[in-house]
mmCIF file of all heavy atoms in Angstrom:
data_model
loop_
_atom_site.group_PDB
_atom_site.id
_atom_site.type_symbol
_atom_site.label_atom_id
_atom_site.label_comp_id
_atom_site.label_asym_id
_atom_site.label_seq_id
_atom_site.Cartn_x
_atom_site.Cartn_y
_atom_site.Cartn_z
ATOM 1 N N MET X 276 -67.724 41.873 -7.795
ATOM 2 C CA MET X 276 -68.926 41.344 -7.220
ATOM 3 C C MET X 276 -68.951 41.718 -5.743
ATOM 4 O O MET X 276 -67.960 41.585 -5.056
ATOM 5 C CB MET X 276 -68.964 39.829 -7.410
ATOM 6 C CG MET X 276 -70.359 39.283 -7.316
ATOM 7 S SD MET X 276 -70.466 37.531 -7.731
ATOM 8 C CE MET X 276 -70.747 37.642 -9.463
ATOM 9 N N ASP X 277 -70.085 42.188 -5.294
ATOM 10 C CA ASP X 277 -70.250 42.588 -3.900
ATOM 11 C C ASP X 277 -71.530 41.957 -3.379
ATOM 12 O O ASP X 277 -72.630 42.347 -3.776
ATOM 13 C CB ASP X 277 -70.299 44.117 -3.804
ATOM 14 C CG ASP X 277 -70.330 44.623 -2.380
ATOM 15 O OD1 ASP X 277 -70.075 43.830 -1.453
ATOM 16 O OD2 ASP X 277 -70.618 45.816 -2.181
ATOM 17 N N GLY X 278 -71.398 40.957 -2.511
ATOM 18 C CA GLY X 278 -72.568 40.269 -1.977
ATOM 19 C C GLY X 278 -73.356 39.528 -3.037
ATOM 20 O O GLY X 278 -74.572 39.439 -2.972
ATOM 21 N N GLY X 279 -72.673 39.021 -4.060
ATOM 22 C CA GLY X 279 -73.340 38.287 -5.121
ATOM 23 C C GLY X 279 -73.911 39.169 -6.217
ATOM 24 O O GLY X 279 -74.526 38.680 -7.148
ATOM 25 N N VAL X 280 -73.701 40.481 -6.108
ATOM 26 C CA VAL X 280 -74.218 41.422 -7.099
ATOM 27 C C VAL X 280 -73.043 42.030 -7.862
ATOM 28 O O VAL X 280 -72.081 42.500 -7.262
ATOM 29 C CB VAL X 280 -75.037 42.549 -6.410
ATOM 30 C CG1 VAL X 280 -75.534 43.559 -7.434
ATOM 31 C CG2 VAL X 280 -76.183 41.958 -5.621
ATOM 32 N N VAL X 281 -73.124 42.006 -9.184
ATOM 33 C CA VAL X 281 -72.076 42.587 -10.016
ATOM 34 C C VAL X 281 -72.124 44.104 -9.890
ATOM 35 O O VAL X 281 -73.174 44.723 -10.024
ATOM 36 C CB VAL X 281 -72.245 42.177 -11.496
ATOM 37 C CG1 VAL X 281 -71.210 42.857 -12.362
ATOM 38 C CG2 VAL X 281 -72.142 40.673 -11.642
ATOM 39 N N VAL X 282 -70.956 44.708 -9.583
ATOM 40 C CA VAL X 282 -70.857 46.155 -9.411
ATOM 41 C C VAL X 282 -69.810 46.684 -10.396
ATOM 42 O O VAL X 282 -68.697 46.149 -10.463
ATOM 43 C CB VAL X 282 -70.434 46.497 -7.958
ATOM 44 C CG1 VAL X 282 -70.283 47.991 -7.785
ATOM 45 C CG2 VAL X 282 -71.432 45.933 -6.965
ATOM 46 N N ASP X 283 -70.159 47.705 -11.161
ATOM 47 C CA ASP X 283 -69.197 48.325 -12.067
ATOM 48 C C ASP X 283 -68.129 49.044 -11.272
ATOM 49 O O ASP X 283 -68.426 49.746 -10.304
ATOM 50 C CB ASP X 283 -69.881 49.332 -12.989
ATOM 51 C CG ASP X 283 -70.683 48.665 -14.083
ATOM 52 O OD1 ASP X 283 -70.375 47.505 -14.417
ATOM 53 O OD2 ASP X 283 -71.606 49.302 -14.610
ATOM 54 N N ARG X 284 -66.865 48.865 -11.672
ATOM 55 C CA ARG X 284 -65.737 49.553 -11.038
ATOM 56 C C ARG X 284 -65.185 50.574 -12.019
ATOM 57 O O ARG X 284 -65.055 50.297 -13.209
ATOM 58 C CB ARG X 284 -64.626 48.564 -10.669
ATOM 59 C CG ARG X 284 -65.081 47.455 -9.745
ATOM 60 C CD ARG X 284 -65.233 47.958 -8.334
ATOM 61 N NE ARG X 284 -65.582 46.839 -7.482
ATOM 62 C CZ ARG X 284 -66.303 46.952 -6.403
ATOM 63 N NH1 ARG X 284 -66.759 48.121 -6.029
ATOM 64 N NH2 ARG X 284 -66.578 45.900 -5.674
ATOM 65 N N HIS X 285 -64.856 51.746 -11.530
ATOM 66 C CA HIS X 285 -64.347 52.807 -12.388
ATOM 67 C C HIS X 285 -62.917 53.215 -12.043
ATOM 68 O O HIS X 285 -62.362 54.092 -12.673
ATOM 69 C CB HIS X 285 -65.267 54.035 -12.312
ATOM 70 C CG HIS X 285 -66.679 53.710 -12.718
ATOM 71 N ND1 HIS X 285 -67.049 53.522 -14.038
ATOM 72 C CD2 HIS X 285 -67.792 53.503 -11.981
ATOM 73 C CE1 HIS X 285 -68.335 53.233 -14.096
ATOM 74 N NE2 HIS X 285 -68.811 53.216 -12.870
ATOM 75 N N LEU X 286 -62.314 52.573 -11.044
ATOM 76 C CA LEU X 286 -60.943 52.858 -10.644
ATOM 77 C C LEU X 286 -60.106 51.601 -10.720
ATOM 78 O O LEU X 286 -60.602 50.489 -10.551
ATOM 79 C CB LEU X 286 -60.909 53.405 -9.207
ATOM 80 C CG LEU X 286 -61.635 54.717 -8.953
ATOM 81 C CD1 LEU X 286 -61.634 55.036 -7.464
ATOM 82 C CD2 LEU X 286 -60.970 55.839 -9.718
ATOM 83 N N GLY X 287 -58.814 51.763 -10.970
ATOM 84 C CA GLY X 287 -57.895 50.633 -10.991
ATOM 85 C C GLY X 287 -57.939 49.871 -12.305
ATOM 86 O O GLY X 287 -58.566 50.287 -13.267
ATOM 87 N N THR X 288 -57.237 48.741 -12.327
ATOM 88 C CA THR X 288 -57.236 47.888 -13.507
ATOM 89 C C THR X 288 -58.029 46.634 -13.199
ATOM 90 O O THR X 288 -57.995 46.134 -12.078
ATOM 91 C CB THR X 288 -55.799 47.495 -13.920
ATOM 92 O OG1 THR X 288 -55.178 46.825 -12.844
ATOM 93 C CG2 THR X 288 -54.992 48.714 -14.312
ATOM 94 N N PRO X 289 -58.755 46.105 -14.167
ATOM 95 C CA PRO X 289 -59.581 44.928 -13.910
ATOM 96 C C PRO X 289 -58.733 43.685 -13.652
ATOM 97 O O PRO X 289 -57.656 43.527 -14.235
ATOM 98 C CB PRO X 289 -60.398 44.765 -15.193
ATOM 99 C CG PRO X 289 -59.690 45.534 -16.233
ATOM 100 C CD PRO X 289 -58.900 46.596 -15.535
ATOM 101 N N GLN X 290 -59.215 42.821 -12.770
ATOM 102 C CA GLN X 290 -58.548 41.552 -12.489
ATOM 103 C C GLN X 290 -58.519 40.734 -13.772
ATOM 104 O O GLN X 290 -59.535 40.574 -14.438
ATOM 105 C CB GLN X 290 -59.317 40.794 -11.397
ATOM 106 C CG GLN X 290 -58.725 39.467 -11.017
ATOM 107 C CD GLN X 290 -57.489 39.623 -10.152
ATOM 108 O OE1 GLN X 290 -57.291 40.640 -9.525
ATOM 109 N NE2 GLN X 290 -56.674 38.593 -10.121
ATOM 110 N N GLY X 291 -57.341 40.236 -14.134
ATOM 111 C CA GLY X 291 -57.219 39.438 -15.339
ATOM 112 C C GLY X 291 -57.103 40.255 -16.614
ATOM 113 O O GLY X 291 -57.021 39.694 -17.688
ATOM 114 N N GLY X 292 -57.092 41.575 -16.491
ATOM 115 C CA GLY X 292 -56.954 42.421 -17.664
ATOM 116 C C GLY X 292 -55.531 42.406 -18.193
ATOM 117 O O GLY X 292 -54.591 42.070 -17.481
ATOM 118 N N PRO X 293 -55.330 42.759 -19.461
ATOM 119 C CA PRO X 293 -53.987 42.713 -20.043
ATOM 120 C C PRO X 293 -53.032 43.762 -19.479
ATOM 121 O O PRO X 293 -51.824 43.597 -19.557
ATOM 122 C CB PRO X 293 -54.240 42.956 -21.532
ATOM 123 C CG PRO X 293 -55.541 43.668 -21.581
ATOM 124 C CD PRO X 293 -56.336 43.169 -20.417
ATOM 125 N N LEU X 294 -53.545 44.812 -18.898
ATOM 126 C CA LEU X 294 -52.686 45.859 -18.356
ATOM 127 C C LEU X 294 -52.153 45.507 -16.962
ATOM 128 O O LEU X 294 -51.065 45.924 -16.587
ATOM 129 C CB LEU X 294 -53.454 47.186 -18.304
ATOM 130 C CG LEU X 294 -52.663 48.424 -17.983
ATOM 131 C CD1 LEU X 294 -51.516 48.615 -18.967
ATOM 132 C CD2 LEU X 294 -53.569 49.644 -18.014
ATOM 133 N N SER X 295 -52.885 44.710 -16.215
ATOM 134 C CA SER X 295 -52.506 44.368 -14.845
ATOM 135 C C SER X 295 -51.136 43.697 -14.743
ATOM 136 O O SER X 295 -50.306 44.112 -13.926
ATOM 137 C CB SER X 295 -53.594 43.505 -14.215
ATOM 138 O OG SER X 295 -53.303 43.233 -12.875
ATOM 139 N N PRO X 296 -50.825 42.663 -15.542
ATOM 140 C CA PRO X 296 -49.494 42.040 -15.445
ATOM 141 C C PRO X 296 -48.364 42.996 -15.828
ATOM 142 O O PRO X 296 -47.296 42.963 -15.227
ATOM 143 C CB PRO X 296 -49.558 40.862 -16.415
ATOM 144 C CG PRO X 296 -50.990 40.618 -16.645
ATOM 145 C CD PRO X 296 -51.692 41.909 -16.454
ATOM 146 N N LEU X 297 -48.605 43.843 -16.812
ATOM 147 C CA LEU X 297 -47.584 44.803 -17.226
ATOM 148 C C LEU X 297 -47.271 45.781 -16.100
ATOM 149 O O LEU X 297 -46.110 46.023 -15.775
ATOM 150 C CB LEU X 297 -48.042 45.563 -18.472
ATOM 151 C CG LEU X 297 -47.115 46.684 -18.921
ATOM 152 C CD1 LEU X 297 -45.781 46.126 -19.373
ATOM 153 C CD2 LEU X 297 -47.758 47.501 -20.012
ATOM 154 N N LEU X 298 -48.301 46.323 -15.476
ATOM 155 C CA LEU X 298 -48.090 47.256 -14.364
ATOM 156 C C LEU X 298 -47.399 46.567 -13.193
ATOM 157 O O LEU X 298 -46.534 47.157 -12.548
ATOM 158 C CB LEU X 298 -49.423 47.857 -13.917
ATOM 159 C CG LEU X 298 -50.066 48.816 -14.906
ATOM 160 C CD1 LEU X 298 -51.437 49.243 -14.403
ATOM 161 C CD2 LEU X 298 -49.187 50.023 -15.165
ATOM 162 N N ALA X 299 -47.766 45.332 -12.910
ATOM 163 C CA ALA X 299 -47.126 44.593 -11.822
ATOM 164 C C ALA X 299 -45.643 44.400 -12.104
ATOM 165 O O ALA X 299 -44.809 44.566 -11.213
ATOM 166 C CB ALA X 299 -47.812 43.243 -11.626
ATOM 167 N N ASN X 300 -45.289 44.073 -13.341
ATOM 168 C CA ASN X 300 -43.881 43.896 -13.691
ATOM 169 C C ASN X 300 -43.100 45.188 -13.519
ATOM 170 O O ASN X 300 -41.982 45.185 -13.019
ATOM 171 C CB ASN X 300 -43.733 43.376 -15.122
ATOM 172 C CG ASN X 300 -43.928 41.891 -15.213
ATOM 173 O OD1 ASN X 300 -43.623 41.167 -14.285
ATOM 174 N ND2 ASN X 300 -44.445 41.441 -16.332
ATOM 175 N N VAL X 301 -43.680 46.294 -13.909
ATOM 176 C CA VAL X 301 -43.001 47.587 -13.777
ATOM 177 C C VAL X 301 -42.823 47.950 -12.304
ATOM 178 O O VAL X 301 -41.735 48.330 -11.865
ATOM 179 C CB VAL X 301 -43.792 48.692 -14.509
ATOM 180 C CG1 VAL X 301 -43.246 50.067 -14.185
ATOM 181 C CG2 VAL X 301 -43.764 48.453 -16.018
ATOM 182 N N LEU X 302 -43.870 47.801 -11.512
ATOM 183 C CA LEU X 302 -43.824 48.211 -10.112
ATOM 184 C C LEU X 302 -42.970 47.282 -9.250
ATOM 185 O O LEU X 302 -42.290 47.728 -8.337
ATOM 186 C CB LEU X 302 -45.235 48.300 -9.542
ATOM 187 C CG LEU X 302 -46.095 49.415 -10.134
ATOM 188 C CD1 LEU X 302 -47.528 49.312 -9.630
ATOM 189 C CD2 LEU X 302 -45.509 50.771 -9.809
ATOM 190 N N PHE X 303 -43.009 45.970 -9.526
ATOM 191 C CA PHE X 303 -42.281 45.015 -8.694
ATOM 192 C C PHE X 303 -40.824 44.842 -9.099
ATOM 193 O O PHE X 303 -40.075 44.138 -8.422
ATOM 194 C CB PHE X 303 -42.979 43.653 -8.683
ATOM 195 C CG PHE X 303 -44.213 43.619 -7.830
ATOM 196 C CD1 PHE X 303 -45.409 43.149 -8.337
ATOM 197 C CD2 PHE X 303 -44.173 44.030 -6.516
ATOM 198 C CE1 PHE X 303 -46.548 43.112 -7.555
ATOM 199 C CE2 PHE X 303 -45.297 43.998 -5.728
ATOM 200 C CZ PHE X 303 -46.495 43.536 -6.246
ATOM 201 N N ASP X 304 -40.390 45.454 -10.182
ATOM 202 C CA ASP X 304 -39.003 45.319 -10.615
ATOM 203 C C ASP X 304 -38.034 45.765 -9.528
ATOM 204 O O ASP X 304 -37.059 45.070 -9.234
ATOM 205 C CB ASP X 304 -38.779 46.115 -11.900
ATOM 206 C CG ASP X 304 -37.396 45.874 -12.473
ATOM 207 O OD1 ASP X 304 -37.063 44.692 -12.700
ATOM 208 O OD2 ASP X 304 -36.664 46.853 -12.686
ATOM 209 N N GLU X 305 -38.279 46.896 -8.911
ATOM 210 C CA GLU X 305 -37.397 47.396 -7.841
ATOM 211 C C GLU X 305 -37.453 46.499 -6.610
ATOM 212 O O GLU X 305 -36.441 46.296 -5.939
ATOM 213 C CB GLU X 305 -37.767 48.835 -7.462
ATOM 214 C CG GLU X 305 -37.477 49.837 -8.565
ATOM 215 C CD GLU X 305 -35.991 49.917 -8.911
ATOM 216 O OE1 GLU X 305 -35.148 49.859 -7.992
ATOM 217 O OE2 GLU X 305 -35.677 50.019 -10.112
ATOM 218 N N VAL X 306 -38.620 45.961 -6.307
ATOM 219 C CA VAL X 306 -38.753 45.044 -5.169
ATOM 220 C C VAL X 306 -37.925 43.783 -5.427
ATOM 221 O O VAL X 306 -37.212 43.297 -4.545
ATOM 222 C CB VAL X 306 -40.237 44.682 -4.920
ATOM 223 C CG1 VAL X 306 -40.366 43.608 -3.849
ATOM 224 C CG2 VAL X 306 -41.034 45.915 -4.555
ATOM 225 N N ASP X 307 -38.012 43.245 -6.648
ATOM 226 C CA ASP X 307 -37.218 42.068 -7.009
ATOM 227 C C ASP X 307 -35.735 42.328 -6.813
ATOM 228 O O ASP X 307 -35.008 41.506 -6.238
ATOM 229 C CB ASP X 307 -37.450 41.689 -8.471
ATOM 230 C CG ASP X 307 -38.852 41.176 -8.745
ATOM 231 O OD1 ASP X 307 -39.566 40.870 -7.776
ATOM 232 O OD2 ASP X 307 -39.215 41.084 -9.927
ATOM 233 N N LYS X 308 -35.263 43.447 -7.299
ATOM 234 C CA LYS X 308 -33.848 43.783 -7.185
ATOM 235 C C LYS X 308 -33.415 43.927 -5.728
ATOM 236 O O LYS X 308 -32.343 43.464 -5.338
ATOM 237 C CB LYS X 308 -33.547 45.071 -7.952
ATOM 238 C CG LYS X 308 -33.646 44.893 -9.450
ATOM 239 C CD LYS X 308 -33.426 46.207 -10.167
ATOM 240 C CE LYS X 308 -33.618 46.060 -11.660
ATOM 241 N NZ LYS X 308 -33.537 47.341 -12.363
ATOM 242 N N ALA X 309 -34.243 44.546 -4.907
ATOM 243 C CA ALA X 309 -33.921 44.727 -3.490
ATOM 244 C C ALA X 309 -33.867 43.380 -2.767
ATOM 245 O O ALA X 309 -32.964 43.142 -1.955
ATOM 246 C CB ALA X 309 -34.943 45.650 -2.824
ATOM 247 N N LEU X 310 -34.810 42.495 -3.048
ATOM 248 C CA LEU X 310 -34.807 41.179 -2.406
ATOM 249 C C LEU X 310 -33.608 40.349 -2.847
ATOM 250 O O LEU X 310 -32.982 39.671 -2.030
ATOM 251 C CB LEU X 310 -36.114 40.441 -2.708
ATOM 252 C CG LEU X 310 -37.357 40.976 -2.013
ATOM 253 C CD1 LEU X 310 -38.608 40.283 -2.532
ATOM 254 C CD2 LEU X 310 -37.247 40.808 -0.505
ATOM 255 N N GLU X 311 -33.294 40.386 -4.128
ATOM 256 C CA GLU X 311 -32.144 39.634 -4.616
ATOM 257 C C GLU X 311 -30.840 40.182 -4.044
ATOM 258 O O GLU X 311 -29.918 39.424 -3.749
ATOM 259 C CB GLU X 311 -32.118 39.641 -6.141
ATOM 260 C CG GLU X 311 -33.217 38.771 -6.738
ATOM 261 C CD GLU X 311 -33.289 38.858 -8.251
ATOM 262 O OE1 GLU X 311 -32.544 39.657 -8.865
ATOM 263 O OE2 GLU X 311 -34.109 38.116 -8.827
ATOM 264 N N ALA X 312 -30.746 41.483 -3.846
ATOM 265 C CA ALA X 312 -29.546 42.089 -3.250
ATOM 266 C C ALA X 312 -29.362 41.628 -1.807
ATOM 267 O O ALA X 312 -28.244 41.590 -1.307
ATOM 268 C CB ALA X 312 -29.639 43.611 -3.309
ATOM 269 N N ARG X 313 -30.460 41.257 -1.147
ATOM 270 C CA ARG X 313 -30.399 40.770 0.236
ATOM 271 C C ARG X 313 -30.237 39.257 0.304
ATOM 272 O O ARG X 313 -30.308 38.671 1.378
ATOM 273 C CB ARG X 313 -31.652 41.188 0.984
ATOM 274 C CG ARG X 313 -31.747 42.677 1.164
ATOM 275 C CD ARG X 313 -32.984 43.071 1.893
ATOM 276 N NE ARG X 313 -33.034 44.518 2.043
ATOM 277 C CZ ARG X 313 -34.025 45.163 2.606
ATOM 278 N NH1 ARG X 313 -35.059 44.497 3.097
ATOM 279 N NH2 ARG X 313 -33.996 46.468 2.694
ATOM 280 N N GLY X 314 -30.065 38.609 -0.854
ATOM 281 C CA GLY X 314 -29.821 37.174 -0.869
ATOM 282 C C GLY X 314 -31.055 36.304 -0.967
ATOM 283 O O GLY X 314 -30.959 35.087 -0.821
ATOM 284 N N HIS X 315 -32.215 36.883 -1.199
ATOM 285 C CA HIS X 315 -33.443 36.096 -1.333
ATOM 286 C C HIS X 315 -33.570 35.575 -2.759
ATOM 287 O O HIS X 315 -33.244 36.273 -3.708
ATOM 288 C CB HIS X 315 -34.675 36.934 -0.995
ATOM 289 C CG HIS X 315 -34.711 37.403 0.410
ATOM 290 N ND1 HIS X 315 -35.151 36.605 1.443
ATOM 291 C CD2 HIS X 315 -34.361 38.581 0.964
ATOM 292 C CE1 HIS X 315 -35.073 37.282 2.569
ATOM 293 N NE2 HIS X 315 -34.592 38.483 2.318
ATOM 294 N N SER X 316 -34.056 34.347 -2.892
ATOM 295 C CA SER X 316 -34.342 33.771 -4.197
ATOM 296 C C SER X 316 -35.849 33.783 -4.393
ATOM 297 O O SER X 316 -36.598 33.406 -3.495
ATOM 298 C CB SER X 316 -33.836 32.332 -4.280
ATOM 299 O OG SER X 316 -32.438 32.303 -4.140
ATOM 300 N N LEU X 317 -36.268 34.214 -5.565
ATOM 301 C CA LEU X 317 -37.699 34.228 -5.824
ATOM 302 C C LEU X 317 -37.962 34.041 -7.297
ATOM 303 O O LEU X 317 -37.107 34.272 -8.141
ATOM 304 C CB LEU X 317 -38.348 35.522 -5.327
ATOM 305 C CG LEU X 317 -37.846 36.835 -5.919
ATOM 306 C CD1 LEU X 317 -38.824 37.344 -6.947
ATOM 307 C CD2 LEU X 317 -37.668 37.849 -4.817
ATOM 308 N N ALA X 318 -39.162 33.584 -7.578
ATOM 309 C CA ALA X 318 -39.638 33.459 -8.953
ATOM 310 C C ALA X 318 -40.944 34.230 -9.025
ATOM 311 O O ALA X 318 -41.814 34.058 -8.173
ATOM 312 C CB ALA X 318 -39.856 32.001 -9.307
ATOM 313 N N ARG X 319 -41.065 35.088 -10.017
ATOM 314 C CA ARG X 319 -42.276 35.900 -10.123
ATOM 315 C C ARG X 319 -42.672 36.040 -11.578
ATOM 316 O O ARG X 319 -41.852 36.219 -12.454
ATOM 317 C CB ARG X 319 -42.046 37.294 -9.537
ATOM 318 C CG ARG X 319 -43.319 38.122 -9.485
ATOM 319 C CD ARG X 319 -43.091 39.476 -8.868
ATOM 320 N NE ARG X 319 -42.125 40.270 -9.593
ATOM 321 C CZ ARG X 319 -42.375 40.907 -10.725
ATOM 322 N NH1 ARG X 319 -43.540 40.812 -11.297
ATOM 323 N NH2 ARG X 319 -41.430 41.606 -11.314
ATOM 324 N N TYR X 320 -43.956 35.913 -11.818
ATOM 325 C CA TYR X 320 -44.537 36.238 -13.112
ATOM 326 C C TYR X 320 -45.660 37.223 -12.844
ATOM 327 O O TYR X 320 -46.648 36.889 -12.184
ATOM 328 C CB TYR X 320 -45.074 34.998 -13.828
ATOM 329 C CG TYR X 320 -45.800 35.367 -15.098
ATOM 330 C CD1 TYR X 320 -45.087 35.743 -16.230
ATOM 331 C CD2 TYR X 320 -47.178 35.404 -15.143
ATOM 332 C CE1 TYR X 320 -45.737 36.126 -17.385
ATOM 333 C CE2 TYR X 320 -47.833 35.786 -16.293
ATOM 334 C CZ TYR X 320 -47.115 36.147 -17.407
ATOM 335 O OH TYR X 320 -47.757 36.533 -18.542
ATOM 336 N N ALA X 321 -45.485 38.439 -13.318
ATOM 337 C CA ALA X 321 -46.467 39.514 -13.097
ATOM 338 C C ALA X 321 -46.708 39.673 -11.600
ATOM 339 O O ALA X 321 -45.787 39.986 -10.864
ATOM 340 C CB ALA X 321 -47.733 39.263 -13.867
ATOM 341 N N ASP X 322 -47.922 39.428 -11.123
ATOM 342 C CA ASP X 322 -48.219 39.655 -9.709
ATOM 343 C C ASP X 322 -48.230 38.359 -8.897
ATOM 344 O O ASP X 322 -48.621 38.358 -7.740
ATOM 345 C CB ASP X 322 -49.538 40.403 -9.546
ATOM 346 C CG ASP X 322 -50.699 39.695 -10.200
ATOM 347 O OD1 ASP X 322 -50.476 38.683 -10.877
ATOM 348 O OD2 ASP X 322 -51.839 40.165 -10.034
ATOM 349 N N ASP X 323 -47.799 37.250 -9.491
ATOM 350 C CA ASP X 323 -47.671 35.990 -8.764
ATOM 351 C C ASP X 323 -46.219 35.811 -8.360
ATOM 352 O O ASP X 323 -45.324 35.892 -9.182
ATOM 353 C CB ASP X 323 -48.104 34.810 -9.632
ATOM 354 C CG ASP X 323 -49.578 34.866 -9.985
ATOM 355 O OD1 ASP X 323 -50.363 35.310 -9.136
ATOM 356 O OD2 ASP X 323 -49.929 34.466 -11.101
ATOM 357 N N CYS X 324 -45.996 35.554 -7.064
ATOM 358 C CA CYS X 324 -44.632 35.486 -6.558
ATOM 359 C C CYS X 324 -44.447 34.218 -5.732
ATOM 360 O O CYS X 324 -45.338 33.817 -4.985
ATOM 361 C CB CYS X 324 -44.351 36.708 -5.691
ATOM 362 S SG CYS X 324 -42.681 36.763 -5.053
ATOM 363 N N LEU X 325 -43.288 33.600 -5.878
ATOM 364 C CA LEU X 325 -42.928 32.410 -5.118
ATOM 365 C C LEU X 325 -41.560 32.650 -4.511
ATOM 366 O O LEU X 325 -40.598 32.895 -5.231
ATOM 367 C CB LEU X 325 -42.901 31.188 -6.038
ATOM 368 C CG LEU X 325 -42.491 29.859 -5.430
ATOM 369 C CD1 LEU X 325 -43.499 29.434 -4.367
ATOM 370 C CD2 LEU X 325 -42.384 28.809 -6.511
ATOM 371 N N ARG X 326 -41.479 32.626 -3.194
ATOM 372 C CA ARG X 326 -40.195 32.791 -2.511
ATOM 373 C C ARG X 326 -39.587 31.427 -2.299
ATOM 374 O O ARG X 326 -40.217 30.533 -1.733
ATOM 375 C CB ARG X 326 -40.396 33.491 -1.172
ATOM 376 C CG ARG X 326 -39.101 33.756 -0.465
ATOM 377 C CD ARG X 326 -39.323 34.579 0.768
ATOM 378 N NE ARG X 326 -38.084 34.667 1.506
ATOM 379 C CZ ARG X 326 -38.006 34.703 2.816
ATOM 380 N NH1 ARG X 326 -39.091 34.680 3.529
ATOM 381 N NH2 ARG X 326 -36.855 34.775 3.404
ATOM 382 N N LEU X 327 -38.363 31.246 -2.747
ATOM 383 C CA LEU X 327 -37.700 29.944 -2.690
ATOM 384 C C LEU X 327 -36.758 29.875 -1.496
ATOM 385 O O LEU X 327 -36.019 30.811 -1.231
ATOM 386 C CB LEU X 327 -36.933 29.708 -3.986
ATOM 387 C CG LEU X 327 -37.754 29.875 -5.261
ATOM 388 C CD1 LEU X 327 -36.868 29.767 -6.483
ATOM 389 C CD2 LEU X 327 -38.877 28.848 -5.312
ATOM 390 N N ARG X 328 -36.803 28.740 -0.790
ATOM 391 C CA ARG X 328 -35.951 28.531 0.373
ATOM 392 C C ARG X 328 -35.200 27.222 0.197
ATOM 393 O O ARG X 328 -35.709 26.277 -0.372
ATOM 394 C CB ARG X 328 -36.788 28.445 1.652
ATOM 395 C CG ARG X 328 -37.600 29.679 1.989
ATOM 396 C CD ARG X 328 -36.753 30.779 2.492
ATOM 397 N NE ARG X 328 -36.081 30.337 3.710
ATOM 398 C CZ ARG X 328 -35.424 31.114 4.518
ATOM 399 N NH1 ARG X 328 -35.334 32.382 4.265
ATOM 400 N NH2 ARG X 328 -34.841 30.648 5.579
ATOM 401 N N GLY X 329 -33.978 27.168 0.721
ATOM 402 C CA GLY X 329 -33.166 25.958 0.649
ATOM 403 C C GLY X 329 -33.574 24.914 1.668
ATOM 404 O O GLY X 329 -33.297 23.734 1.507
ATOM 405 N N GLN X 330 -34.242 25.342 2.738
ATOM 406 C CA GLN X 330 -34.649 24.436 3.801
ATOM 407 C C GLN X 330 -36.118 24.619 4.091
ATOM 408 O O GLN X 330 -36.675 25.694 3.893
ATOM 409 C CB GLN X 330 -33.868 24.727 5.082
ATOM 410 C CG GLN X 330 -32.368 24.590 4.919
ATOM 411 C CD GLN X 330 -31.650 25.057 6.179
ATOM 412 O OE1 GLN X 330 -32.260 25.457 7.153
ATOM 413 N NE2 GLN X 330 -30.325 24.993 6.138
ATOM 414 N N HIS X 331 -36.740 23.555 4.589
ATOM 415 C CA HIS X 331 -38.163 23.630 4.956
ATOM 416 C C HIS X 331 -38.370 24.604 6.118
ATOM 417 O O HIS X 331 -39.316 25.375 6.121
ATOM 418 C CB HIS X 331 -38.699 22.251 5.315
ATOM 419 C CG HIS X 331 -40.135 22.260 5.713
ATOM 420 N ND1 HIS X 331 -41.144 22.440 4.793
ATOM 421 C CD2 HIS X 331 -40.729 22.121 6.916
ATOM 422 C CE1 HIS X 331 -42.307 22.412 5.433
ATOM 423 N NE2 HIS X 331 -42.079 22.210 6.711
ATOM 424 N N GLN X 332 -37.434 24.579 7.080
ATOM 425 C CA GLN X 332 -37.548 25.457 8.234
ATOM 426 C C GLN X 332 -37.389 26.911 7.779
ATOM 427 O O GLN X 332 -36.498 27.255 7.025
ATOM 428 C CB GLN X 332 -36.470 25.125 9.261
ATOM 429 C CG GLN X 332 -36.624 25.863 10.551
ATOM 430 C CD GLN X 332 -35.549 25.430 11.556
ATOM 431 O OE1 GLN X 332 -34.509 24.950 11.170
ATOM 432 N NE2 GLN X 332 -35.842 25.615 12.818
ATOM 433 N N GLY X 333 -38.267 27.755 8.202
ATOM 434 C CA GLY X 333 -38.224 29.163 7.831
ATOM 435 C C GLY X 333 -39.008 29.492 6.578
ATOM 436 O O GLY X 333 -39.162 30.635 6.220
ATOM 437 N N ALA X 334 -39.523 28.457 5.902
ATOM 438 C CA ALA X 334 -40.287 28.692 4.685
ATOM 439 C C ALA X 334 -41.750 28.985 4.987
ATOM 440 O O ALA X 334 -42.461 29.475 4.133
ATOM 441 C CB ALA X 334 -40.194 27.480 3.760
ATOM 442 N N LEU X 335 -42.183 28.670 6.161
ATOM 443 C CA LEU X 335 -43.602 28.884 6.498
ATOM 444 C C LEU X 335 -43.860 30.279 6.987
ATOM 445 O O LEU X 335 -43.113 30.936 7.559
ATOM 446 C CB LEU X 335 -44.059 27.864 7.540
ATOM 447 C CG LEU X 335 -43.920 26.421 7.086
ATOM 448 C CD1 LEU X 335 -44.282 25.499 8.233
ATOM 449 C CD2 LEU X 335 -44.795 26.137 5.891
#
């Protein structure tokens, strides 16, 4: 939607489409591994990510 008008898109994957979560899992796998190797804790499902911290300070 652009300015309240529906616009057809011909590039990329549609938001909420079944292919989007699969592609996100494939692409973010290396990012997950790199962050975990640096000691970061995170929870991710497809393209939704939550970074976990042990303390409130530094979480913002």
Side-chain angles (χ1 to χ4, degrees):
M276 201 173 270
D277 186 13
V280 178
V281 176
V282 178
D283 285 336
R284 302 284 184 210
H285 302 285
L286 298 174
T288 59
Q290 180 76 22
L294 190 57
S295 184
L297 175 65
L298 291 175
N300 278 329
V301 170
L302 293 173
F303 285 128
D304 187 55
E305 292 298 321
V306 173
D307 292 346
K308 290 176 184 175
L310 288 172
E311 288 175 356
R313 294 180 180 178
H315 297 278
S316 297
L317 60 103
R319 186 178 60 77
Y320 174 75
D322 57 354
D323 295 324
C324 182
L325 178 64
R326 183 174 173 215
L327 307 174
R328 299 286 299 191
Q330 301 173 1
H331 179 73
Q332 187 177 24
L335 300 175

